[in-house]
Amino acid sequence: MTSPLTEQLRRTPPGLHGAGDEYWGLAWTALAWLEREIQPGMATLETGAGSSTIVFAAGGAHHVAVTPDAEEEERIREQCDRLGVDHSRVRFEIGPSHDVLPRLHVPPLDLVLVDGAHGFPYPILDWWYSAPHLKVGGRILLDDAFMPPIGVLVDALRAQPGWQVVGAAGHRTVVVQKTSAELPGWDWEGERLGGRMNFRYLPARERAAGSLGHRLFRTRFGFALVRLARRRSGLTWHKKG
């Protein structure tokens, strides 16, 4: 179900990214989700900018949009004026998100949208630098989650105790809630990030040996086998710290 502003944008999609009249932005279902969820006075942030920025403005959020394109700010503000949307509470930070976010000063955030650069590792950096500013209980939207650089982030957050995947805003956008301020674990605990464990980086003839060796000696099952073998041989084995 779409919302009034989303429906208006859908009828006449704005060309905000300098690529002609093509619409590049959140899927309409995700845009409608934003329109329903944003409340006046919320503190919000997005990497990337476009129709979502207009929706944040219309919802009355105190919003920060991070974009490397200064002309994008002009086009978005002009579109807000045409639509009668007050954009006085929107602040643009111009520059690549990996440069802007580490030095950004914002209040505790209620909602973050990650929809900037999609190549690895930029979505992960966007999450890493914005996560400390997000309130416990706040939500982060990860757009285009079907793409591997974003999908691996979704996999990682699903396995973290401080985060919970709570739903999807359409087929492309995942909604994740921050449940605590706990940092991610220091060690890999066997989480499947981007699929099953693999040794694709090895030459083909070495992959099987690498995989077998890892499973025998560097997994919980492997550690248990080694401990059992050591006990049977009367030796004491200590896992390397």
mmCIF file of all heavy atoms in Angstrom, residues 216-217 219-239:
data_model
loop_
_atom_site.group_PDB
_atom_site.id
_atom_site.type_symbol
_atom_site.label_atom_id
_atom_site.label_comp_id
_atom_site.label_asym_id
_atom_site.label_seq_id
_atom_site.Cartn_x
_atom_site.Cartn_y
_atom_site.Cartn_z
ATOM 1 N N LEU A 216 39.288 -30.042 10.009
ATOM 2 C CA LEU A 216 39.894 -30.954 10.976
ATOM 3 C C LEU A 216 40.540 -30.224 12.142
ATOM 4 O O LEU A 216 40.533 -30.720 13.271
ATOM 5 C CB LEU A 216 40.941 -31.824 10.283
ATOM 6 C CG LEU A 216 40.409 -32.942 9.392
ATOM 7 C CD1 LEU A 216 41.557 -33.683 8.726
ATOM 8 C CD2 LEU A 216 39.537 -33.912 10.194
ATOM 9 N N PHE A 217 41.080 -29.025 11.872
ATOM 10 C CA PHE A 217 41.931 -28.415 12.897
ATOM 11 C C PHE A 217 41.506 -27.031 13.360
ATOM 12 O O PHE A 217 42.030 -26.531 14.346
ATOM 13 C CB PHE A 217 43.379 -28.339 12.383
ATOM 14 C CG PHE A 217 43.959 -29.675 12.044
ATOM 15 C CD1 PHE A 217 44.268 -29.992 10.743
ATOM 16 C CD2 PHE A 217 44.170 -30.633 13.028
ATOM 17 C CE1 PHE A 217 44.798 -31.231 10.417
ATOM 18 C CE2 PHE A 217 44.696 -31.872 12.721
ATOM 19 C CZ PHE A 217 45.006 -32.180 11.413
ATOM 20 N N THR A 219 37.972 -25.799 13.557
ATOM 21 C CA THR A 219 36.559 -25.667 13.885
ATOM 22 C C THR A 219 36.315 -26.319 15.233
ATOM 23 O O THR A 219 37.160 -27.055 15.753
ATOM 24 C CB THR A 219 35.665 -26.346 12.823
ATOM 25 O OG1 THR A 219 35.941 -27.750 12.820
ATOM 26 C CG2 THR A 219 35.920 -25.775 11.431
ATOM 27 N N ARG A 220 35.142 -26.045 15.833
ATOM 28 C CA ARG A 220 34.829 -26.666 17.120
ATOM 29 C C ARG A 220 34.891 -28.181 17.015
ATOM 30 O O ARG A 220 35.378 -28.875 17.903
ATOM 31 C CB ARG A 220 33.440 -26.210 17.584
ATOM 32 C CG ARG A 220 33.370 -24.742 17.983
ATOM 33 C CD ARG A 220 32.023 -24.440 18.638
ATOM 34 N NE ARG A 220 31.906 -23.042 19.027
ATOM 35 C CZ ARG A 220 31.385 -22.099 18.273
ATOM 36 N NH1 ARG A 220 30.926 -22.403 17.070
ATOM 37 N NH2 ARG A 220 31.302 -20.844 18.694
ATOM 38 N N PHE A 221 34.342 -28.720 15.909
ATOM 39 C CA PHE A 221 34.377 -30.164 15.708
ATOM 40 C C PHE A 221 35.821 -30.650 15.616
ATOM 41 O O PHE A 221 36.203 -31.659 16.216
ATOM 42 C CB PHE A 221 33.613 -30.529 14.433
ATOM 43 C CG PHE A 221 33.641 -31.986 14.103
ATOM 44 C CD1 PHE A 221 32.935 -32.906 14.868
ATOM 45 C CD2 PHE A 221 34.393 -32.440 13.020
ATOM 46 C CE1 PHE A 221 32.969 -34.263 14.560
ATOM 47 C CE2 PHE A 221 34.432 -33.791 12.716
ATOM 48 C CZ PHE A 221 33.721 -34.701 13.480
ATOM 49 N N GLY A 222 36.638 -29.886 14.879
ATOM 50 C CA GLY A 222 38.037 -30.267 14.748
ATOM 51 C C GLY A 222 38.776 -30.193 16.072
ATOM 52 O O GLY A 222 39.569 -31.086 16.408
ATOM 53 N N PHE A 223 38.520 -29.132 16.857
ATOM 54 C CA PHE A 223 39.159 -29.013 18.169
ATOM 55 C C PHE A 223 38.785 -30.205 19.061
ATOM 56 O O PHE A 223 39.625 -30.743 19.787
ATOM 57 C CB PHE A 223 38.750 -27.709 18.851
ATOM 58 C CG PHE A 223 39.304 -26.481 18.201
ATOM 59 C CD1 PHE A 223 38.563 -25.308 18.157
ATOM 60 C CD2 PHE A 223 40.564 -26.481 17.621
ATOM 61 C CE1 PHE A 223 39.064 -24.171 17.551
ATOM 62 C CE2 PHE A 223 41.078 -25.334 17.015
ATOM 63 C CZ PHE A 223 40.320 -24.185 16.982
ATOM 64 N N ALA A 224 37.499 -30.597 19.004
ATOM 65 C CA ALA A 224 37.048 -31.719 19.821
ATOM 66 C C ALA A 224 37.762 -33.005 19.420
ATOM 67 O O ALA A 224 38.165 -33.807 20.285
ATOM 68 C CB ALA A 224 35.538 -31.891 19.690
ATOM 69 N N LEU A 225 37.950 -33.218 18.117
ATOM 70 C CA LEU A 225 38.648 -34.415 17.655
ATOM 71 C C LEU A 225 40.099 -34.432 18.131
ATOM 72 O O LEU A 225 40.612 -35.471 18.569
ATOM 73 C CB LEU A 225 38.604 -34.487 16.131
ATOM 74 C CG LEU A 225 37.276 -34.884 15.481
ATOM 75 C CD1 LEU A 225 37.421 -34.883 13.965
ATOM 76 C CD2 LEU A 225 36.821 -36.264 15.970
ATOM 77 N N VAL A 226 40.751 -33.256 18.045
ATOM 78 C CA VAL A 226 42.144 -33.184 18.473
ATOM 79 C C VAL A 226 42.254 -33.423 19.975
ATOM 80 O O VAL A 226 43.144 -34.143 20.452
ATOM 81 C CB VAL A 226 42.759 -31.836 18.067
ATOM 82 C CG1 VAL A 226 44.158 -31.689 18.661
ATOM 83 C CG2 VAL A 226 42.816 -31.715 16.551
ATOM 84 N N ARG A 227 41.335 -32.827 20.762
ATOM 85 C CA ARG A 227 41.368 -33.049 22.218
ATOM 86 C C ARG A 227 41.192 -34.530 22.551
ATOM 87 O O ARG A 227 41.874 -35.070 23.426
ATOM 88 C CB ARG A 227 40.281 -32.212 22.892
ATOM 89 C CG ARG A 227 40.626 -30.737 23.033
ATOM 90 C CD ARG A 227 39.695 -30.052 24.017
ATOM 91 N NE ARG A 227 38.328 -30.049 23.522
ATOM 92 C CZ ARG A 227 37.803 -29.062 22.791
ATOM 93 N NH1 ARG A 227 38.563 -28.030 22.454
ATOM 94 N NH2 ARG A 227 36.554 -29.109 22.385
ATOM 95 N N LEU A 228 40.269 -35.154 21.844
ATOM 96 C CA LEU A 228 40.025 -36.570 22.074
ATOM 97 C C LEU A 228 41.275 -37.382 21.740
ATOM 98 O O LEU A 228 41.675 -38.282 22.498
ATOM 99 C CB LEU A 228 38.847 -37.043 21.225
ATOM 100 C CG LEU A 228 38.475 -38.527 21.337
ATOM 101 C CD1 LEU A 228 38.087 -38.868 22.777
ATOM 102 C CD2 LEU A 228 37.337 -38.862 20.383
ATOM 103 N N ALA A 229 41.907 -37.043 20.620
ATOM 104 C CA ALA A 229 43.116 -37.771 20.232
ATOM 105 C C ALA A 229 44.229 -37.560 21.247
ATOM 106 O O ALA A 229 44.965 -38.497 21.599
ATOM 107 C CB ALA A 229 43.560 -37.327 18.842
ATOM 108 N N ARG A 230 44.343 -36.330 21.740
ATOM 109 C CA ARG A 230 45.381 -36.033 22.727
ATOM 110 C C ARG A 230 45.138 -36.796 24.029
ATOM 111 O O ARG A 230 46.066 -37.314 24.653
ATOM 112 C CB ARG A 230 45.416 -34.528 23.005
ATOM 113 C CG ARG A 230 45.875 -33.675 21.829
ATOM 114 C CD ARG A 230 47.350 -33.852 21.558
ATOM 115 N NE ARG A 230 47.820 -32.867 20.594
ATOM 116 C CZ ARG A 230 49.078 -32.767 20.179
ATOM 117 N NH1 ARG A 230 49.965 -33.606 20.632
ATOM 118 N NH2 ARG A 230 49.417 -31.850 19.291
ATOM 119 N N ARG A 231 43.883 -36.810 24.454
ATOM 120 C CA ARG A 231 43.577 -37.538 25.693
ATOM 121 C C ARG A 231 43.916 -39.009 25.552
ATOM 122 O O ARG A 231 44.441 -39.633 26.464
ATOM 123 C CB ARG A 231 42.101 -37.346 26.056
ATOM 124 C CG ARG A 231 41.790 -36.001 26.684
ATOM 125 C CD ARG A 231 40.467 -36.030 27.426
ATOM 126 N NE ARG A 231 39.352 -36.265 26.513
ATOM 127 C CZ ARG A 231 38.669 -35.301 25.909
ATOM 128 N NH1 ARG A 231 39.012 -34.026 26.116
ATOM 129 N NH2 ARG A 231 37.666 -35.586 25.111
ATOM 130 N N ARG A 232 43.584 -39.534 24.390
ATOM 131 C CA ARG A 232 43.855 -40.959 24.180
ATOM 132 C C ARG A 232 45.341 -41.261 24.133
ATOM 133 O O ARG A 232 45.773 -42.355 24.478
ATOM 134 C CB ARG A 232 43.186 -41.418 22.890
ATOM 135 C CG ARG A 232 41.671 -41.526 23.016
ATOM 136 C CD ARG A 232 41.042 -42.066 21.754
ATOM 137 N NE ARG A 232 39.609 -42.285 21.943
ATOM 138 C CZ ARG A 232 38.792 -42.711 20.989
ATOM 139 N NH1 ARG A 232 39.275 -42.954 19.772
ATOM 140 N NH2 ARG A 232 37.509 -42.883 21.234
ATOM 141 N N SER A 233 46.111 -40.268 23.705
ATOM 142 C CA SER A 233 47.558 -40.476 23.669
ATOM 143 C C SER A 233 48.232 -40.074 24.963
ATOM 144 O O SER A 233 49.457 -40.182 25.093
ATOM 145 C CB SER A 233 48.161 -39.694 22.501
ATOM 146 O OG SER A 233 47.996 -38.302 22.720
ATOM 147 N N GLY A 234 47.423 -39.577 25.929
ATOM 148 C CA GLY A 234 47.959 -39.194 27.220
ATOM 149 C C GLY A 234 48.633 -37.853 27.232
ATOM 150 O O GLY A 234 49.353 -37.536 28.185
ATOM 151 N N LEU A 235 48.409 -37.056 26.199
ATOM 152 C CA LEU A 235 49.019 -35.753 26.139
ATOM 153 C C LEU A 235 47.988 -34.677 26.445
ATOM 154 O O LEU A 235 46.796 -34.879 26.283
ATOM 155 C CB LEU A 235 49.603 -35.509 24.738
ATOM 156 C CG LEU A 235 50.701 -36.480 24.309
ATOM 157 C CD1 LEU A 235 51.090 -36.206 22.863
ATOM 158 C CD2 LEU A 235 51.932 -36.361 25.210
ATOM 159 N N THR A 236 48.444 -33.539 26.870
ATOM 160 C CA THR A 236 47.580 -32.398 27.099
ATOM 161 C C THR A 236 47.732 -31.429 25.940
ATOM 162 O O THR A 236 48.840 -31.090 25.561
ATOM 163 C CB THR A 236 47.947 -31.677 28.411
ATOM 164 O OG1 THR A 236 47.862 -32.613 29.486
ATOM 165 C CG2 THR A 236 46.998 -30.501 28.644
ATOM 166 N N TRP A 237 46.583 -31.053 25.396
ATOM 167 C CA TRP A 237 46.603 -30.132 24.259
ATOM 168 C C TRP A 237 45.947 -28.819 24.657
ATOM 169 O O TRP A 237 44.913 -28.814 25.305
ATOM 170 C CB TRP A 237 45.830 -30.748 23.089
ATOM 171 C CG TRP A 237 45.742 -29.858 21.893
ATOM 172 C CD1 TRP A 237 46.706 -29.651 20.968
ATOM 173 C CD2 TRP A 237 44.635 -29.042 21.513
ATOM 174 N NE1 TRP A 237 46.271 -28.767 20.018
ATOM 175 C CE2 TRP A 237 44.984 -28.379 20.328
ATOM 176 C CE3 TRP A 237 43.356 -28.812 22.036
ATOM 177 C CZ2 TRP A 237 44.147 -27.513 19.664
ATOM 178 C CZ3 TRP A 237 42.512 -27.955 21.384
ATOM 179 C CH2 TRP A 237 42.925 -27.313 20.212
ATOM 180 N N HIS A 238 46.598 -27.758 24.352
ATOM 181 C CA HIS A 238 46.052 -26.438 24.668
ATOM 182 C C HIS A 238 45.763 -25.703 23.373
ATOM 183 O O HIS A 238 46.645 -25.628 22.503
ATOM 184 C CB HIS A 238 47.055 -25.628 25.491
ATOM 185 C CG HIS A 238 47.324 -26.216 26.834
ATOM 186 N ND1 HIS A 238 46.454 -26.130 27.889
ATOM 187 C CD2 HIS A 238 48.382 -26.958 27.262
ATOM 188 C CE1 HIS A 238 46.969 -26.751 28.945
ATOM 189 N NE2 HIS A 238 48.114 -27.270 28.580
ATOM 190 N N LYS A 239 44.572 -25.188 23.298
ATOM 191 C CA LYS A 239 44.230 -24.363 22.164
ATOM 192 C C LYS A 239 45.043 -23.076 22.227
ATOM 193 O O LYS A 239 45.176 -22.482 23.278
ATOM 194 C CB LYS A 239 42.723 -24.018 22.185
ATOM 195 C CG LYS A 239 42.305 -23.094 21.050
ATOM 196 C CD LYS A 239 40.822 -22.795 21.182
ATOM 197 C CE LYS A 239 40.407 -21.755 20.171
ATOM 198 N NZ LYS A 239 38.987 -21.372 20.311
#
